[in-house]
């Protein structure tokens, strides 16, 4: 049976796990033909994905990291945006961004997380029934806003704009226009914030970007905005969908909910399992820089090679009973945060956000129950959710 892994309807309307399983067994490097006549190579196993992601010389990020990117945007952002840049410049940009993660900032961010998560859950409890995708979006947006230095008064603005800017694949021209407008408003907001921080630097990421230098030269306005954009999209969407998927996994597996409550020391392994099991980022694209034999296939220079991360995270050769949700799973060598030089720069913050959210849920909620139909996202990049209506029963 022919399948197009880039078809977003595959992930909205069906369970893709059997497709991934078949391809891992039959075509671990799968030539994927698209409806428009183009093709890419989908890498399906854990070992081959790891090999590809840790070899930037042969598999470059400069031509994009996701399918269906705008070629004009890629040409403008290559070498400027962290996630579409190769070493050595990638490492230099990463150093500037990492410099903002001071102990003082991390402490402030955790305080923000606790307050935001507690308030969001208390509001949901008071309402009785809630749309959990809305609850889950508040925490990552507040964290990235706090980290960048966005004023608290503007956080609601950012929550709403990000909800549209990185929503499902657009269905029509009106929806696409709304996405573009929301994205533009976010970038204009960051442009104003950058100007403010040039005048008055503070202890935040925007200040680190506007004051940072690479090879003795300051970052350009483009570099600053591109990297803010990457941080917001990466820091917001992935954590939000992992949070929603994690709650759904606990609802579907109530024994794991009760186990986590009874054994709070399992929280670190539970968070790793949530990332593995939900695998919010579905693919990571690279471009072959030379002709290469890989996974038994001959790949030509210029071909797109795409690590299919949820498939790697369900690889039977690496994970026992991979379709089972097990909060005590050890070891758990998932690829949810990628591998190699593009290992997620915010992975520690993402794990902390998930920890705080589920700690606050367990402290306040006796049990969570579905209150309606679960709707998956129409996307080939994010394996996520458009809707998860739930009812929270409060703890006595």
């Amino acid at each position: 049976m022919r399948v197009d892994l880039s078809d977003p309807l595959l992930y909205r309307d069906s369970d893709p796990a059997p497709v991934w399983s078949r391809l891992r067994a039959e075509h671990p490097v799968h030539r994927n033909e698209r409806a428009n006549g183009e093709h890419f190579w989908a890498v399906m196993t854990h070992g081959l994905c790891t090999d590809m992601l840790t070899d930037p010389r042969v598999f470059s990020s400069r031509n994009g990291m996701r399918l269906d990117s705008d070629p004009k945007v890629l040409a403008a952002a290559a070498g400027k945006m962290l996630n579409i840049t190769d070493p050595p410049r990638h490492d230099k940009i990463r150093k500037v961004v990492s410099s903002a993660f001071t102990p003082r900032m991390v402490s402030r961010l955790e305080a923000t997380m606790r307050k935001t998560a507690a308030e969001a859950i208390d509001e949901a409890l008071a309402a009785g029934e809630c749309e959990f995708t809305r609850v889950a979006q508040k925490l990552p947006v507040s964290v990235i806003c706090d980290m960048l230095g966005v004023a608290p008064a503007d956080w609601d603005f950012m929550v709403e704009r990000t909800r549209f800017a990185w929503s499902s694949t657009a269905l029509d021209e009106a929806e696409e226009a709304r996405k573009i407008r929301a994205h533009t408003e976010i970038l204009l907001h960051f442009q104003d914030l950058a100007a403010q921080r040039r005048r008055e630097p503070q202890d935040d990421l925007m200040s680190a970007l506007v004051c940072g230098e690479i090879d003795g030269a300051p970052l350009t306005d483009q570099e600053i905005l591109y990297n803010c954009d990457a941080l917001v999209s990466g820091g917001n969407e992935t954590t939000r969908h992992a949070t929603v998927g994690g709650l759904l996994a606990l609802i579907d597996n109530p024994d794991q909910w009760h186990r986590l409550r009874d054994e709070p020391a399992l929280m670190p392994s539970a968070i790793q399992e949530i990332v593995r099991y939900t695998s919010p980022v579905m693919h990571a694209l690279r471009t072959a820089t030379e002709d290469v034999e890989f996974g038994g296939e001959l790949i030509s220079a210029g071909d797109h090679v795409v690590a299919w991360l949820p498939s790697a995270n369900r690889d039977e050769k690496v994970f026992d009973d991979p379709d089972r949700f097990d909060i005590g799973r050890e070891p758990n060598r998932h690829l949810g945060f990628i591998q190699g030089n593009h290992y997620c720069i915010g992975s520690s913050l993402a794990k902390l956000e998930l920890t705080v959210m589920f700690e606050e849920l367990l402290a306040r909620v006796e049990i969570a129950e579905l209150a309606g139909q679960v709707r998956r996202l129409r996307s080939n990049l994010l394996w996520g959710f458009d809707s998860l209506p739930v009812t929270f029963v409060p703890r006595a």
Side-chain angles (χ1 to χ4, degrees):
M1 182 182 72
R2 182 172 175 176
V3 63
D4 179 5
L5 291 172
S6 66
D7 181 359
L9 295 180
L10 174 65
Y11 309 102
R12 189 192 69 179
D13 299 340
S14 64
D15 177 9
V19 173
W20 298 332
S21 180
R22 177 173 61 83
L23 290 176
R24 283 196 303 273
E26 299 176 2
H27 302 286
V29 177
H30 163 65
R31 183 183 167 99
N32 190 105
E33 303 290 343
R34 307 193 69 179
N36 61 6
E38 297 177 356
H39 78 275
F40 62 87
W41 298 95
V43 184
M44 307 304 295
T45 67
H46 187 283
L48 289 171
C49 283
T50 300
D51 290 345
M52 172 196 140
L53 294 170
T54 54
D55 189 356
R57 185 189 68 80
V58 176
F59 300 106
S60 170
S61 300
R62 280 188 59 86
N63 291 318
M65 47 70 68
R66 55 165 292 182
L67 293 164
D68 303 321
S69 294
D70 186 328
K72 293 180 181 178
V73 174
L74 289 177
K80 302 180 182 71
M81 184 187 287
L82 184 66
N83 53 1
I84 54 172
T85 303
D86 290 328
R89 187 166 184 84
H90 169 275
D91 303 332
K92 295 173 182 178
I93 297 174
R94 190 181 182 99
K95 185 176 180 181
V96 172
V97 175
S98 298
S99 69
F101 290 84
T102 62
R104 180 181 171 188
M105 175 186 280
V106 173
S107 177
R108 186 183 77 224
L109 291 176
E110 183 169 3
T112 296
M113 292 179 203
R114 293 281 172 194
K115 181 175 183 294
T116 303
E119 289 177 352
I121 295 168
D122 286 343
E123 287 177 9
L125 282 166
E129 183 179 317
C130 71
E131 173 51 69
F132 191 67
T133 59
R134 295 290 188 92
V135 176
Q137 79 178 358
K138 294 180 181 179
L139 181 55
V141 173
S142 68
V143 170
I144 196 71
C145 284
D146 196 3
M147 182 171 68
L148 279 163
V150 176
D154 294 327
W155 290 4
D156 286 343
F157 165 88
M158 295 297 289
V159 166
E160 286 304 305
R161 296 310 184 276
T162 54
R163 185 164 67 87
F164 291 127
W166 289 282
S167 59
S168 301
T169 304
L171 296 173
D172 54 40
E173 290 185 5
E175 187 173 341
E176 182 64 26
R178 184 176 67 176
K179 285 165 62 93
I180 293 171
R181 185 166 60 251
H183 205 160
T184 301
E185 289 174 353
I186 290 169
L187 291 176
L188 289 172
H189 192 89
F190 286 142
Q191 189 174 47
D192 291 342
L193 181 61
Q196 292 174 23
R197 290 300 183 265
R198 283 195 179 94
R199 296 190 298 268
E200 299 179 20
Q202 297 184 20
D203 184 21
D204 54 39
L205 179 51
M206 184 62 81
S207 298
L209 291 171
V210 300
C211 297
E213 293 185 351
I214 296 178
D215 296 331
L219 273 66
T220 65
D221 289 347
Q222 274 193 327
E223 287 174 320
I224 292 168
L225 292 180
Y226 282 139
N227 284 290
C228 286
D229 196 49
L231 288 163
V232 171
S233 59
N236 174 39
E237 291 297 287
T238 54
T239 308
R240 175 164 68 96
H241 291 298
T243 302
V244 177
L247 180 63
L248 180 59
L250 289 166
I251 291 173
D252 288 342
N253 299 273
D255 61 312
Q256 298 296 296
W257 174 277
H258 295 299
R259 184 185 179 193
L260 188 55
R261 169 168 291 156
D262 294 340
E263 302 178 63
L266 286 176
M267 185 61 78
S269 63
I271 297 308
Q272 295 286 12
E273 178 69 346
I274 286 171
V275 175
R276 181 198 75 86
Y277 191 79
T278 64
S279 292
V281 177
M282 275 195 287
H283 71 257
L285 181 147
R286 302 290 186 264
T287 303
T289 60
E290 59 188 46
D291 295 347
V292 61
E293 183 177 348
F294 187 69
E297 301 289 348
L298 293 175
I299 295 173
S300 300
D303 280 358
H304 285 164
V305 186
V306 186
W308 224 262
L309 302 172
S311 176
N313 285 340
R314 302 286 178 110
D315 193 332
E316 303 85 349
K317 294 181 180 179
V318 177
F319 303 99
D320 293 334
D321 197 3
D323 293 326
R324 177 169 56 91
F325 179 68
D326 177 8
I327 64 168
R329 185 181 295 275
E330 290 287 352
N332 196 341
R333 298 185 295 111
H334 65 80
L335 302 183
F337 293 121
I338 315 295
Q339 282 291 316
N341 62 308
H342 283 281
Y343 185 82
C344 176
I345 196 168
S347 60
S348 295
L349 273 181
K351 287 184 284 189
L352 182 56
E353 288 176 48
L354 290 166
T355 297
V356 167
M357 178 59 86
F358 285 101
E359 284 178 348
E360 296 298 328
L361 277 169
L362 288 167
R364 288 168 162 75
V365 176
E366 182 62 35
I367 195 71
E369 300 172 339
L370 287 179
Q373 182 181 3
V374 179
R375 293 202 314 272
R376 280 279 185 175
L377 204 62
R378 183 181 183 272
S379 173
N380 63 22
L381 176 65
L382 293 168
W383 197 29
F385 300 85
D386 263 337
S387 180
L388 184 71
V390 299
T391 299
F392 288 143
V393 178
R395 294 197 71 174

